[in-house]
Short mmCIF file of all heavy atoms in Angstrom, two decimals:
data_model
loop_
_atom_site.label_atom_id
_atom_site.label_comp_id
_atom_site.label_asym_id
_atom_site.label_seq_id
_atom_site.Cartn_x
_atom_site.Cartn_y
_atom_site.Cartn_z
N MET A 525 -68.67 4.75 56.43
CA MET A 525 -68.24 5.31 57.70
C MET A 525 -66.95 4.70 58.13
O MET A 525 -66.86 3.50 58.22
CB MET A 525 -69.36 5.15 58.77
CG MET A 525 -69.00 5.69 60.10
SD MET A 525 -70.48 5.81 61.11
CE MET A 525 -70.29 4.38 62.14
N THR A 526 -65.92 5.49 58.41
CA THR A 526 -64.63 4.99 58.82
C THR A 526 -64.45 5.22 60.30
O THR A 526 -64.71 6.33 60.82
CB THR A 526 -63.50 5.75 58.08
OG1 THR A 526 -63.73 5.62 56.67
CG2 THR A 526 -62.17 5.19 58.41
N THR A 527 -64.06 4.17 60.99
CA THR A 527 -63.77 4.33 62.43
C THR A 527 -62.26 4.26 62.68
O THR A 527 -61.53 3.72 61.91
CB THR A 527 -64.46 3.22 63.26
OG1 THR A 527 -63.90 1.93 62.83
CG2 THR A 527 -65.96 3.21 63.04
N GLY A 528 -61.85 4.83 63.74
CA GLY A 528 -60.45 4.82 64.12
C GLY A 528 -60.03 3.46 64.65
O GLY A 528 -60.85 2.53 64.79
N PRO A 529 -58.78 3.30 64.98
CA PRO A 529 -58.29 2.05 65.48
C PRO A 529 -58.89 1.75 66.87
O PRO A 529 -59.27 2.67 67.62
CB PRO A 529 -56.79 2.23 65.63
CG PRO A 529 -56.56 3.70 65.56
CD PRO A 529 -57.70 4.27 64.86
N LEU A 530 -58.95 0.46 67.21
CA LEU A 530 -59.43 0.04 68.56
C LEU A 530 -58.46 0.53 69.62
O LEU A 530 -58.87 0.98 70.69
CB LEU A 530 -59.55 -1.46 68.54
CG LEU A 530 -59.96 -2.09 69.87
CD1 LEU A 530 -61.43 -1.67 70.23
CD2 LEU A 530 -59.95 -3.61 69.80
N ILE A 531 -57.17 0.37 69.34
CA ILE A 531 -56.11 0.85 70.26
C ILE A 531 -54.93 1.33 69.48
O ILE A 531 -54.58 0.78 68.44
CB ILE A 531 -55.74 -0.30 71.24
CG1 ILE A 531 -54.79 0.24 72.34
CG2 ILE A 531 -55.08 -1.46 70.52
CD1 ILE A 531 -54.61 -0.69 73.53
N GLU A 532 -54.34 2.41 69.96
CA GLU A 532 -53.10 2.96 69.42
C GLU A 532 -52.09 3.15 70.51
O GLU A 532 -52.43 3.68 71.56
CB GLU A 532 -53.40 4.31 68.79
CG GLU A 532 -53.67 4.35 67.35
CD GLU A 532 -53.79 5.78 66.82
OE1 GLU A 532 -54.34 6.63 67.54
OE2 GLU A 532 -53.30 5.98 65.74
N ILE A 533 -50.87 2.71 70.25
CA ILE A 533 -49.83 2.84 71.23
C ILE A 533 -48.64 3.54 70.54
O ILE A 533 -48.21 3.12 69.47
CB ILE A 533 -49.40 1.49 71.79
CG1 ILE A 533 -50.59 0.84 72.45
CG2 ILE A 533 -48.23 1.59 72.71
CD1 ILE A 533 -50.43 -0.62 72.75
N GLU A 534 -48.09 4.58 71.19
CA GLU A 534 -47.00 5.34 70.60
C GLU A 534 -45.93 5.54 71.65
O GLU A 534 -46.19 6.04 72.73
CB GLU A 534 -47.47 6.71 70.14
CG GLU A 534 -48.42 6.63 68.96
CD GLU A 534 -48.91 8.02 68.54
OE1 GLU A 534 -48.47 9.02 69.16
OE2 GLU A 534 -49.73 8.10 67.64
N GLY A 535 -44.76 5.08 71.34
CA GLY A 535 -43.56 5.32 72.20
C GLY A 535 -43.64 4.68 73.59
O GLY A 535 -43.12 5.24 74.56
N LEU A 536 -44.27 3.54 73.69
CA LEU A 536 -44.38 2.87 75.00
C LEU A 536 -43.05 2.45 75.50
O LEU A 536 -42.27 1.76 74.85
CB LEU A 536 -45.29 1.65 74.92
CG LEU A 536 -45.53 0.87 76.21
CD1 LEU A 536 -46.24 1.71 77.20
CD2 LEU A 536 -46.26 -0.43 75.94
N ARG A 537 -42.72 2.90 76.74
CA ARG A 537 -41.48 2.53 77.40
C ARG A 537 -41.80 2.11 78.82
O ARG A 537 -42.56 2.79 79.49
CB ARG A 537 -40.47 3.69 77.45
CG ARG A 537 -39.94 4.10 76.13
CD ARG A 537 -39.06 5.35 76.25
NE ARG A 537 -38.73 5.89 74.97
CZ ARG A 537 -37.62 5.66 74.34
NH1 ARG A 537 -36.67 4.92 74.90
NH2 ARG A 537 -37.34 6.16 73.13
N VAL A 538 -41.13 1.06 79.29
CA VAL A 538 -41.33 0.61 80.65
C VAL A 538 -39.93 0.36 81.29
O VAL A 538 -39.11 -0.39 80.70
CB VAL A 538 -42.15 -0.72 80.71
CG1 VAL A 538 -42.31 -1.15 82.17
CG2 VAL A 538 -43.49 -0.56 80.07
N THR A 539 -39.69 0.99 82.40
CA THR A 539 -38.49 0.74 83.17
C THR A 539 -38.87 0.33 84.61
O THR A 539 -39.89 0.76 85.10
CB THR A 539 -37.58 1.98 83.19
OG1 THR A 539 -38.30 3.09 83.77
CG2 THR A 539 -37.07 2.35 81.82
N PHE A 540 -38.03 -0.49 85.18
CA PHE A 540 -38.21 -0.91 86.59
C PHE A 540 -37.02 -0.43 87.38
O PHE A 540 -35.92 -0.50 87.00
CB PHE A 540 -38.27 -2.46 86.67
CG PHE A 540 -39.50 -3.02 86.06
CD1 PHE A 540 -39.49 -3.53 84.73
CD2 PHE A 540 -40.69 -3.06 86.76
CE1 PHE A 540 -40.64 -4.09 84.19
CE2 PHE A 540 -41.83 -3.58 86.17
CZ PHE A 540 -41.79 -4.14 84.90
N GLN A 541 -37.36 0.11 88.59
CA GLN A 541 -36.36 0.58 89.50
C GLN A 541 -36.17 -0.50 90.60
O GLN A 541 -37.11 -0.79 91.30
CB GLN A 541 -36.85 1.88 90.17
CG GLN A 541 -35.83 2.50 91.15
CD GLN A 541 -34.70 3.17 90.42
OE1 GLN A 541 -34.86 3.73 89.35
NE2 GLN A 541 -33.51 3.10 90.98
N GLY A 542 -34.97 -1.07 90.68
CA GLY A 542 -34.76 -2.09 91.66
C GLY A 542 -34.42 -1.50 93.01
O GLY A 542 -34.11 -0.34 93.16
N ASP A 543 -34.49 -2.34 94.04
CA ASP A 543 -34.18 -1.88 95.43
C ASP A 543 -32.71 -1.40 95.54
O ASP A 543 -32.46 -0.52 96.36
CB ASP A 543 -34.40 -3.04 96.41
CG ASP A 543 -35.84 -3.36 96.56
OD1 ASP A 543 -36.70 -2.51 96.29
OD2 ASP A 543 -36.18 -4.53 96.95
N ASP A 544 -31.83 -1.96 94.74
CA ASP A 544 -30.43 -1.56 94.79
C ASP A 544 -30.13 -0.33 93.94
O ASP A 544 -28.98 0.06 93.74
CB ASP A 544 -29.55 -2.73 94.33
CG ASP A 544 -29.86 -3.21 92.93
OD1 ASP A 544 -30.81 -2.66 92.30
OD2 ASP A 544 -29.20 -4.15 92.44
N GLY A 545 -31.20 0.30 93.33
CA GLY A 545 -30.98 1.48 92.49
C GLY A 545 -30.77 1.17 91.05
O GLY A 545 -30.67 2.11 90.23
N ARG A 546 -30.69 -0.07 90.70
CA ARG A 546 -30.46 -0.49 89.31
C ARG A 546 -31.75 -0.27 88.51
O ARG A 546 -32.84 -0.55 88.98
CB ARG A 546 -30.07 -1.94 89.24
CG ARG A 546 -29.62 -2.40 87.83
CD ARG A 546 -29.22 -3.81 87.85
NE ARG A 546 -30.45 -4.61 87.99
CZ ARG A 546 -30.47 -5.89 88.13
NH1 ARG A 546 -29.32 -6.61 88.27
NH2 ARG A 546 -31.63 -6.57 88.19
N VAL A 547 -31.61 0.28 87.28
CA VAL A 547 -32.77 0.51 86.40
C VAL A 547 -32.71 -0.55 85.29
O VAL A 547 -31.70 -0.72 84.62
CB VAL A 547 -32.67 1.90 85.80
CG1 VAL A 547 -33.82 2.13 84.79
CG2 VAL A 547 -32.80 2.96 86.90
N THR A 548 -33.86 -1.23 85.07
CA THR A 548 -33.99 -2.16 84.01
C THR A 548 -34.94 -1.65 82.94
O THR A 548 -36.09 -1.32 83.30
CB THR A 548 -34.51 -3.52 84.54
OG1 THR A 548 -33.64 -3.98 85.58
CG2 THR A 548 -34.63 -4.57 83.46
N HIS A 549 -34.49 -1.58 81.67
CA HIS A 549 -35.34 -1.09 80.59
C HIS A 549 -35.98 -2.34 79.98
O HIS A 549 -35.36 -3.06 79.25
CB HIS A 549 -34.49 -0.36 79.55
CG HIS A 549 -33.79 0.83 80.10
ND1 HIS A 549 -34.40 2.07 80.11
CD2 HIS A 549 -32.62 1.01 80.70
CE1 HIS A 549 -33.58 2.96 80.69
NE2 HIS A 549 -32.51 2.30 81.05
N ALA A 550 -37.27 -2.53 80.33
CA ALA A 550 -37.97 -3.77 79.88
C ALA A 550 -38.61 -3.63 78.52
O ALA A 550 -38.61 -4.59 77.74
CB ALA A 550 -39.01 -4.14 80.90
N VAL A 551 -39.13 -2.44 78.21
CA VAL A 551 -39.75 -2.20 76.90
C VAL A 551 -39.27 -0.84 76.45
O VAL A 551 -39.22 0.12 77.19
CB VAL A 551 -41.30 -2.17 77.05
CG1 VAL A 551 -41.98 -1.83 75.71
CG2 VAL A 551 -41.82 -3.49 77.56
N ASP A 552 -38.89 -0.74 75.17
CA ASP A 552 -38.28 0.46 74.66
C ASP A 552 -38.92 0.90 73.32
O ASP A 552 -38.66 0.25 72.32
CB ASP A 552 -36.77 0.32 74.47
CG ASP A 552 -36.06 1.61 74.20
OD1 ASP A 552 -36.60 2.67 74.50
OD2 ASP A 552 -34.97 1.57 73.60
N SER A 553 -39.76 1.88 73.39
CA SER A 553 -40.30 2.55 72.24
C SER A 553 -41.14 1.65 71.32
O SER A 553 -40.84 1.46 70.15
CB SER A 553 -39.18 3.20 71.37
OG SER A 553 -39.71 4.12 70.47
N VAL A 554 -42.22 1.08 71.87
CA VAL A 554 -43.16 0.26 71.09
C VAL A 554 -44.26 1.14 70.51
O VAL A 554 -44.85 1.95 71.19
CB VAL A 554 -43.79 -0.84 71.98
CG1 VAL A 554 -44.93 -1.58 71.29
CG2 VAL A 554 -42.74 -1.82 72.49
N ASP A 555 -44.49 0.99 69.21
CA ASP A 555 -45.55 1.68 68.49
C ASP A 555 -46.40 0.59 67.79
O ASP A 555 -45.83 -0.27 67.12
CB ASP A 555 -45.03 2.59 67.39
CG ASP A 555 -44.16 3.75 67.93
OD1 ASP A 555 -44.58 4.32 68.94
OD2 ASP A 555 -43.13 4.06 67.34
N LEU A 556 -47.72 0.66 67.98
CA LEU A 556 -48.57 -0.25 67.27
C LEU A 556 -49.97 0.29 67.26
O LEU A 556 -50.39 1.13 68.06
CB LEU A 556 -48.54 -1.68 67.83
CG LEU A 556 -48.98 -1.95 69.28
CD1 LEU A 556 -50.48 -2.26 69.30
CD2 LEU A 556 -48.24 -3.14 69.84
N SER A 557 -50.78 -0.19 66.28
CA SER A 557 -52.13 0.17 66.18
C SER A 557 -52.90 -1.07 65.75
O SER A 557 -52.48 -1.83 64.88
CB SER A 557 -52.25 1.23 65.03
OG SER A 557 -53.58 1.62 64.86
N VAL A 558 -54.06 -1.26 66.38
CA VAL A 558 -54.88 -2.42 66.11
C VAL A 558 -56.27 -1.91 65.66
O VAL A 558 -56.93 -1.19 66.39
CB VAL A 558 -55.05 -3.35 67.34
CG1 VAL A 558 -55.96 -4.54 67.03
CG2 VAL A 558 -53.71 -3.81 67.84
N ALA A 559 -56.67 -2.30 64.45
CA ALA A 559 -57.96 -1.89 63.91
C ALA A 559 -59.09 -2.59 64.61
O ALA A 559 -58.90 -3.73 65.18
CB ALA A 559 -58.03 -2.16 62.43
N ASN A 560 -60.27 -2.00 64.67
CA ASN A 560 -61.40 -2.59 65.26
C ASN A 560 -61.75 -3.89 64.49
O ASN A 560 -61.81 -3.91 63.27
CB ASN A 560 -62.61 -1.64 65.17
CG ASN A 560 -63.73 -2.09 66.08
OD1 ASN A 560 -63.64 -3.00 66.86
ND2 ASN A 560 -64.85 -1.38 65.91
N GLY A 561 -61.90 -5.02 65.21
CA GLY A 561 -62.17 -6.30 64.62
C GLY A 561 -60.95 -7.11 64.21
O GLY A 561 -61.03 -8.25 63.80
N ALA A 562 -59.75 -6.51 64.36
CA ALA A 562 -58.52 -7.19 63.97
C ALA A 562 -57.99 -8.00 65.20
O ALA A 562 -58.39 -7.79 66.31
CB ALA A 562 -57.46 -6.18 63.54
N THR A 563 -57.07 -8.89 64.92
CA THR A 563 -56.40 -9.69 65.92
C THR A 563 -54.92 -9.45 65.89
O THR A 563 -54.32 -9.39 64.80
CB THR A 563 -56.69 -11.21 65.69
OG1 THR A 563 -58.09 -11.41 65.69
CG2 THR A 563 -56.02 -12.04 66.75
N LEU A 564 -54.32 -9.32 67.04
CA LEU A 564 -52.86 -9.07 67.17
C LEU A 564 -52.21 -10.13 68.03
O LEU A 564 -52.79 -10.40 69.13
CB LEU A 564 -52.56 -7.67 67.68
CG LEU A 564 -51.12 -7.38 68.03
CD1 LEU A 564 -50.34 -7.19 66.75
CD2 LEU A 564 -51.00 -6.16 68.94
N GLY A 565 -51.12 -10.67 67.63
CA GLY A 565 -50.41 -11.63 68.46
C GLY A 565 -49.02 -11.07 68.72
O GLY A 565 -48.34 -10.61 67.82
N LEU A 566 -48.58 -11.08 69.99
CA LEU A 566 -47.21 -10.66 70.34
C LEU A 566 -46.35 -11.93 70.42
O LEU A 566 -46.67 -12.80 71.21
CB LEU A 566 -47.21 -9.94 71.64
CG LEU A 566 -47.85 -8.58 71.72
CD1 LEU A 566 -47.84 -7.99 73.14
CD2 LEU A 566 -47.23 -7.64 70.73
N VAL A 567 -45.33 -11.99 69.60
CA VAL A 567 -44.49 -13.19 69.53
C VAL A 567 -43.06 -12.79 69.75
O VAL A 567 -42.62 -11.78 69.23
CB VAL A 567 -44.65 -13.86 68.11
CG1 VAL A 567 -43.77 -15.10 68.04
CG2 VAL A 567 -46.05 -14.18 67.83
N GLY A 568 -42.32 -13.59 70.51
CA GLY A 568 -40.88 -13.32 70.75
C GLY A 568 -40.34 -14.33 71.74
O GLY A 568 -41.02 -15.11 72.36
N GLU A 569 -39.03 -14.17 71.92
CA GLU A 569 -38.33 -15.05 72.85
C GLU A 569 -38.73 -14.79 74.28
O GLU A 569 -39.22 -13.71 74.59
CB GLU A 569 -36.82 -14.84 72.69
CG GLU A 569 -36.25 -15.27 71.31
CD GLU A 569 -34.74 -15.06 71.22
OE1 GLU A 569 -34.14 -14.95 72.27
OE2 GLU A 569 -34.28 -14.96 70.09
N SER A 570 -38.43 -15.73 75.15
CA SER A 570 -38.65 -15.57 76.54
C SER A 570 -37.86 -14.37 77.04
O SER A 570 -36.70 -14.24 76.75
CB SER A 570 -38.24 -16.86 77.28
OG SER A 570 -38.37 -16.68 78.65
N GLY A 571 -38.55 -13.51 77.82
CA GLY A 571 -37.84 -12.38 78.40
C GLY A 571 -37.76 -11.16 77.51
O GLY A 571 -37.08 -10.22 77.85
N CYS A 572 -38.43 -11.14 76.35
CA CYS A 572 -38.30 -10.01 75.43
C CYS A 572 -39.26 -8.89 75.73
O CYS A 572 -39.18 -7.80 75.10
CB CYS A 572 -38.40 -10.49 74.00
SG CYS A 572 -40.01 -10.94 73.46
N GLY A 573 -40.23 -9.06 76.66
CA GLY A 573 -41.09 -7.95 77.03
C GLY A 573 -42.52 -8.10 76.64
O GLY A 573 -43.31 -7.15 76.73
N LYS A 574 -42.95 -9.26 76.20
CA LYS A 574 -44.36 -9.45 75.74
C LYS A 574 -45.32 -9.22 76.90
O LYS A 574 -46.27 -8.48 76.72
CB LYS A 574 -44.56 -10.84 75.18
CG LYS A 574 -43.68 -11.19 73.98
CD LYS A 574 -43.90 -12.62 73.54
CE LYS A 574 -43.57 -13.70 74.57
NZ LYS A 574 -42.21 -13.87 74.94
N SER A 575 -45.11 -9.85 78.01
CA SER A 575 -46.01 -9.73 79.18
C SER A 575 -45.97 -8.34 79.77
O SER A 575 -47.00 -7.81 80.08
CB SER A 575 -45.64 -10.78 80.22
OG SER A 575 -45.86 -12.06 79.76
N VAL A 576 -44.77 -7.78 79.84
CA VAL A 576 -44.68 -6.37 80.42
C VAL A 576 -45.40 -5.41 79.50
O VAL A 576 -46.11 -4.52 79.99
CB VAL A 576 -43.21 -5.99 80.59
CG1 VAL A 576 -43.08 -4.55 80.98
CG2 VAL A 576 -42.57 -6.86 81.66
N THR A 577 -45.31 -5.61 78.20
CA THR A 577 -46.05 -4.72 77.29
C THR A 577 -47.50 -4.86 77.48
O THR A 577 -48.25 -3.83 77.57
CB THR A 577 -45.66 -5.07 75.79
OG1 THR A 577 -44.29 -4.89 75.60
CG2 THR A 577 -46.47 -4.27 74.81
N SER A 578 -48.04 -6.08 77.58
CA SER A 578 -49.45 -6.32 77.80
C SER A 578 -49.93 -5.72 79.14
O SER A 578 -50.98 -5.08 79.22
CB SER A 578 -49.78 -7.77 77.76
OG SER A 578 -49.40 -8.33 76.47
N LEU A 579 -49.18 -5.96 80.20
CA LEU A 579 -49.52 -5.43 81.51
C LEU A 579 -49.51 -3.91 81.52
O LEU A 579 -50.35 -3.28 82.16
CB LEU A 579 -48.61 -6.00 82.57
CG LEU A 579 -48.77 -7.49 82.89
CD1 LEU A 579 -47.60 -8.00 83.73
CD2 LEU A 579 -50.10 -7.80 83.50
N ALA A 580 -48.56 -3.31 80.83
CA ALA A 580 -48.51 -1.81 80.77
C ALA A 580 -49.72 -1.27 80.05
O ALA A 580 -50.34 -0.27 80.50
CB ALA A 580 -47.22 -1.41 80.06
N ILE A 581 -50.13 -1.91 78.95
CA ILE A 581 -51.32 -1.46 78.22
C ILE A 581 -52.55 -1.53 79.06
O ILE A 581 -53.40 -0.62 79.02
CB ILE A 581 -51.50 -2.32 76.95
CG1 ILE A 581 -50.36 -2.07 75.94
CG2 ILE A 581 -52.85 -2.08 76.30
CD1 ILE A 581 -50.28 -3.04 74.78
N MET A 582 -52.66 -2.52 79.89
CA MET A 582 -53.85 -2.74 80.79
C MET A 582 -53.72 -1.91 82.07
O MET A 582 -54.67 -1.87 82.87
CB MET A 582 -54.03 -4.16 81.13
CG MET A 582 -54.40 -5.00 79.84
SD MET A 582 -54.73 -6.73 80.28
CE MET A 582 -53.11 -7.34 80.64
N GLY A 583 -52.59 -1.28 82.34
CA GLY A 583 -52.37 -0.51 83.55
C GLY A 583 -52.18 -1.37 84.77
O GLY A 583 -52.57 -0.92 85.89
N LEU A 584 -51.65 -2.57 84.67
CA LEU A 584 -51.57 -3.55 85.78
C LEU A 584 -50.15 -3.64 86.35
O LEU A 584 -49.94 -4.51 87.20
CB LEU A 584 -52.03 -4.90 85.32
CG LEU A 584 -53.51 -4.92 84.92
CD1 LEU A 584 -53.86 -6.34 84.41
CD2 LEU A 584 -54.40 -4.54 86.09
N LEU A 585 -49.20 -2.80 85.97
CA LEU A 585 -47.87 -2.82 86.53
C LEU A 585 -47.84 -2.06 87.85
O LEU A 585 -48.54 -1.04 88.01
CB LEU A 585 -46.87 -2.25 85.55
CG LEU A 585 -46.62 -3.05 84.30
CD1 LEU A 585 -45.69 -2.35 83.31
CD2 LEU A 585 -45.98 -4.39 84.65
N PRO A 586 -46.99 -2.53 88.78
CA PRO A 586 -46.97 -1.83 90.12
C PRO A 586 -46.38 -0.42 89.99
O PRO A 586 -45.31 -0.24 89.45
CB PRO A 586 -46.02 -2.73 90.96
CG PRO A 586 -45.27 -3.56 89.97
CD PRO A 586 -46.14 -3.68 88.73
N LYS A 587 -47.11 0.55 90.44
CA LYS A 587 -46.72 1.95 90.31
C LYS A 587 -45.44 2.28 91.07
O LYS A 587 -44.67 3.17 90.65
CB LYS A 587 -47.81 2.85 90.80
CG LYS A 587 -49.16 2.62 90.11
CD LYS A 587 -49.40 3.59 89.04
CE LYS A 587 -50.80 3.45 88.44
NZ LYS A 587 -50.89 2.55 87.37
N GLN A 588 -45.18 1.57 92.17
CA GLN A 588 -44.01 1.84 92.98
C GLN A 588 -42.67 1.45 92.35
O GLN A 588 -41.61 1.97 92.69
CB GLN A 588 -44.10 1.29 94.41
CG GLN A 588 -44.16 -0.25 94.46
CD GLN A 588 -45.56 -0.81 94.30
OE1 GLN A 588 -46.44 -0.16 93.83
NE2 GLN A 588 -45.69 -2.06 94.68
N SER A 589 -42.69 0.49 91.40
CA SER A 589 -41.46 0.01 90.85
C SER A 589 -41.36 0.16 89.30
O SER A 589 -40.26 0.12 88.77
CB SER A 589 -41.19 -1.46 91.21
OG SER A 589 -42.21 -2.26 90.72
N ALA A 590 -42.48 0.34 88.62
CA ALA A 590 -42.48 0.44 87.19
C ALA A 590 -42.85 1.87 86.74
O ALA A 590 -43.80 2.44 87.18
CB ALA A 590 -43.48 -0.53 86.59
N ALA A 591 -42.03 2.36 85.83
CA ALA A 591 -42.34 3.67 85.17
C ALA A 591 -42.77 3.41 83.74
O ALA A 591 -42.00 2.87 82.94
CB ALA A 591 -41.07 4.54 85.20
N VAL A 592 -43.98 3.81 83.41
CA VAL A 592 -44.57 3.61 82.11
C VAL A 592 -44.73 4.96 81.43
O VAL A 592 -45.36 5.86 82.02
CB VAL A 592 -45.95 2.87 82.15
CG1 VAL A 592 -46.48 2.69 80.79
CG2 VAL A 592 -45.78 1.53 82.86
N THR A 593 -44.17 5.16 80.22
CA THR A 593 -44.30 6.39 79.49
C THR A 593 -44.75 6.06 78.08
O THR A 593 -44.62 4.94 77.62
CB THR A 593 -42.99 7.17 79.44
OG1 THR A 593 -41.97 6.41 78.91
CG2 THR A 593 -42.55 7.62 80.86
N GLY A 594 -45.23 7.05 77.42
CA GLY A 594 -45.76 6.89 76.07
C GLY A 594 -47.28 7.12 76.07
O GLY A 594 -47.85 7.50 77.12
N ALA A 595 -47.89 6.97 74.91
CA ALA A 595 -49.31 7.20 74.80
C ALA A 595 -50.04 5.91 74.48
O ALA A 595 -49.62 5.17 73.59
CB ALA A 595 -49.59 8.24 73.66
N ILE A 596 -51.12 5.64 75.23
CA ILE A 596 -51.95 4.51 74.99
C ILE A 596 -53.42 5.04 74.85
O ILE A 596 -53.95 5.58 75.76
CB ILE A 596 -51.92 3.45 76.11
CG1 ILE A 596 -50.50 3.02 76.34
CG2 ILE A 596 -52.86 2.30 75.84
CD1 ILE A 596 -50.29 2.15 77.58
N ARG A 597 -53.94 4.90 73.63
CA ARG A 597 -55.28 5.41 73.36
C ARG A 597 -56.19 4.29 72.82
O ARG A 597 -55.73 3.53 72.04
CB ARG A 597 -55.25 6.57 72.38
CG ARG A 597 -54.58 7.81 72.87
CD ARG A 597 -54.63 8.90 71.88
NE ARG A 597 -53.79 8.64 70.70
CZ ARG A 597 -52.48 8.86 70.64
NH1 ARG A 597 -51.83 9.34 71.65
NH2 ARG A 597 -51.81 8.59 69.57
#
């Protein structure tokens, strides 16, 4: 019996709208798939979008300032 992935993410993008009208592109087109029972680590430099990616996946970004697009299944 074959099961699908635990989580699939396609084209995840996160932008923030500042009070001054400035748009910040925090995450741009992330695709990943994690199999059931697998472990995934996000590694990168400070400020590269690891936390924003994780918060977007969990739906914890503020709706009034963050625009999240893409598919999370």
Side-chain angles (χ1 to χ4, degrees):
M525 180 163 101
T526 304
T527 61
L530 178 65
I531 188 167
E532 264 186 321
I533 299 166
E534 295 178 1
L536 180 66
R537 293 176 190 262
V538 180
T539 57
F540 291 98
Q541 182 76 35
D543 292 336
D544 59 357
R546 189 179 74 186
V547 175
T548 301
H549 300 272
V551 176
D552 188 24
S553 195
V554 170
D555 297 316
L556 63 89
S557 178
V558 180
N560 194 8
T563 301
L564 172 73
L566 293 176
V567 180
E569 295 181 19
S570 177
C572 72
K574 300 176 301 289
S575 295
V576 171
T577 298
S578 299
L579 291 169
I581 291 168
M582 295 183 289
L584 297 176
L585 291 173
K587 306 261 187 270
Q588 65 272 18
S589 62
V592 179
T593 58
I596 303 170
R597 294 183 290 278

